[in-house]
């Protein structure tokens, strides 16, 4: 893996990446640890994967805390924040990566509960630990970010709308964050090859990923996109609080 964040640039800092036992979250945690950050790995039900990743990252000389927490459960989130406070005292970087909504067997409003309500709940629970100079990063997709102007495939639309609702709800908190000296940035990417969402979409709509790849010219893989998320945690914030990763020519602004 390349190193998108300069080594030692985050030494002494602490980062929480939600949904980081695998995929984009795990690679983002790796990049932040490579840059010297102590890392909190959050998982819902992948404890063995989380512990395996933690062992790997401790080998980089950083401190790692693994915390099982369901973001849709306020008490669970509160316990996670308490564990972070007890271990590290503060939290410099909050990466809101966990999302979902295409899983089977969930309640009808699960996507909105996870992608909007839980994101805001996690931010509000963690905010007392984030000092001035801290940063919040929200991870989303072009299909969600541009859903108001560009339709997406029907199988993904409920998730896209729920993620956009989450983005909007978080953006409403920018004045409060700014007052505390905390920065906020949205990282939006195209469909990411190798993610659970891409796999589920392909299952529901065979050929969808190949079609999008051909239209965009290139789709980022998990590691490439995670590198962009890690950069968003340290690089200057764009004026519109948004980093668009990959082709956007087919999306209406």
């Amino acid at each position: 893996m390349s190193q998108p964040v300069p080594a030692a640039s985050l030494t002494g800092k602490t980062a929480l990446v939600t949904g980081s036992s695998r995929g984009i979250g795990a690679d983002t945690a790796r990049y932040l640890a490579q840059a010297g950050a102590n890392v909190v790995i959050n998982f819902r039900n992948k404890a063995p994967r989380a512990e395996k990743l933690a062992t790997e990252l401790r080998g980089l000389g950083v401190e790692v805390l693994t915390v099982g927490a369901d973001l849709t459960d306020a008490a669970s989130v509160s316990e996670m924040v308490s564990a972070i406070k007890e271990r590290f005292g503060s939290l410099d970087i909050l990466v809101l990566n966990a999302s979902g909504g295409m899983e089977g067997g969930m309640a009808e409003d699960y996507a909105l509960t996870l992608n909007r309500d839980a994101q805001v709940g996690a931010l509000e629970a963690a905010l007392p630990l984030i000092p001035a100079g801290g940063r919040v990063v929200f991870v989303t997709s072009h299909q969600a970010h541009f859903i108001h102007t560009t339709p997406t495939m029907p199988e993904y639309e409920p998730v896209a709308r729920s993620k956009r609702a989450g983005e909007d709800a978080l953006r409403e908190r920018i004045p409060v964050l700014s007052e505390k000296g905390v920065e906020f940035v949205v990282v939006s990417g195209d469909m990411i090859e190798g993610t659970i969402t891409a796999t589920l979409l392909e299952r529901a709509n065979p050929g969808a990923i190949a079609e999008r790849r051909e239209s965009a010219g290139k789709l980022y893989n998990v590691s490439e996109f995670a590198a962009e998320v890690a950069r968003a945690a340290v690089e200057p914030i764009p004026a519109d609080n948004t980093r668009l990763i990959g082709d956007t020519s087919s999306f209406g602004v």
Side-chain angles (χ1 to χ4, degrees):
M1 295 173 72
S2 60
Q3 191 162 308
V5 182
S9 62
L10 293 178
T11 298
K13 304 290 187 181
T14 299
L16 162 61
V17 184
T18 64
S20 51
S21 65
R22 63 182 177 183
I24 293 167
D27 277 356
T28 299
R30 282 189 180 95
Y31 288 129
L32 296 176
Q34 286 176 3
N38 299 319
V39 175
V40 182
I41 299 170
N42 159 248
F43 63 94
R44 187 176 64 182
N45 53 18
K46 302 290 182 185
R49 289 189 187 186
E51 292 301 336
K52 182 178 179 182
L53 176 61
T55 298
E56 174 192 333
L57 300 190
R58 289 184 186 113
L60 299 172
V62 301
E63 289 189 58
V64 183
L65 175 66
T66 60
V67 185
D70 180 347
L71 297 190
T72 66
D73 181 340
S76 181
V77 172
S78 179
E79 289 174 7
M80 174 173 67
V81 171
S82 294
I84 295 169
K85 182 177 181 179
E86 182 177 344
R87 179 71 172 272
F88 297 111
S90 62
L91 181 66
D92 303 283
I93 299 168
L94 170 61
V95 180
L96 294 168
N97 165 73
S99 66
M102 293 193 67
E103 304 89 338
M106 294 296 189
E108 188 176 339
D109 63 348
Y110 178 69
L112 199 59
T113 299
L114 174 59
N115 297 328
R116 183 193 64 189
D117 303 344
Q119 306 301 316
V120 173
L123 171 59
E124 292 184 345
L127 190 54
L129 294 187
I130 305 177
R135 185 171 298 192
V136 178
V137 181
F138 177 65
V139 181
T140 190
S141 67
H142 291 346
Q143 287 73 19
H145 180 70
F146 292 104
I147 190 61
H148 295 326
T149 55
T150 306
T152 188
M153 56 193 82
E155 298 84 358
Y156 189 65
E157 183 171 345
V159 174
R161 291 196 177 280
S162 68
K163 284 187 69 66
R164 180 66 218 206
E167 177 182 336
D168 291 343
L170 290 167
R171 285 182 184 275
E172 289 176 3
R173 269 67 178 179
I174 290 177
V176 173
L177 296 176
S178 297
E179 196 172 306
K180 275 201 66 173
V182 175
E183 297 176 311
F184 175 80
V185 63
V186 171
V187 182
S188 177
D190 209 329
M191 289 295 175
I192 309 299
E193 305 234 33
T195 60
I196 297 297
T197 297
T199 299
L200 293 174
L201 275 174
E202 187 67 22
R203 189 178 301 161
N205 187 352
I209 302 303
E211 183 180 331
R212 180 60 201 151
R213 187 189 307 116
E214 183 176 347
S215 173
K218 167 189 168 60
L219 292 181
Y220 281 61
N221 63 32
V222 168
S223 178
E224 290 169 334
F225 184 63
E228 297 296 338
V229 175
R231 288 189 184 97
V234 297
E235 292 184 352
I237 303 283
D240 61 354
N241 298 85
T242 310
R243 290 172 67 103
L244 299 175
I245 309 303
D247 178 67
T248 59
S249 61
S250 61
F251 294 92
V253 178

